[in-house]
Amino acid sequence: MKKIVLMVAVAACVAFASQSVQASAVQTSVENVMQDDFMKIEVKELPQVVQDAIAKSYEGSTVKEAYVAGTDGAKKYKVVLVDKDQKEQTVVLNEQGEVIE
């Protein structure tokens, strides 16, 4: 009788553990889709004009992550900035360094 109860408990633990892993995988895929067709790029790949605009308008902030979307002549850059208080802010700029959206 004890073996049956133990087997049921082990089976329940395995079932709950596998559901947790599946939920984690779904959450990760949803986060990737929510980037609005932006592709991650290296911060150093941002055009100089965009870097200059960020330095001027968001003085004291550093670029944590950078993303790009669109084609030549119509590119948009999404940047995640971190200020001196470690607060994150997301900004979208065009190729001329102008804030959009």
Side-chain angles (χ1 to χ4, degrees), residues 17-79:
S18 68
Q19 287 178 355
S20 174
V21 170
Q22 290 173 351
S24 176
V26 169
Q27 182 179 5
T28 302
S29 66
V30 168
E31 288 174 2
N32 288 339
V33 170
M34 295 186 66
Q35 286 301 326
D36 302 325
D37 296 327
F38 282 88
M39 292 180 48
K40 190 169 187 170
I41 60 172
E42 295 291 323
V43 173
K44 63 185 176 188
E45 294 179 57
L46 286 171
Q48 189 62 46
V49 100
V50 173
Q51 292 180 29
D52 293 344
I54 292 168
K56 182 179 177 185
S57 299
Y58 301 94
E59 190 175 328
S61 294
T62 57
V63 178
K64 178 181 176 185
E65 297 175 358
Y67 301 87
V68 64
T71 58
D72 288 336
K75 286 186 179 179
K76 296 189 301 184
Y77 297 92
K78 182 190 295 187
V79 293

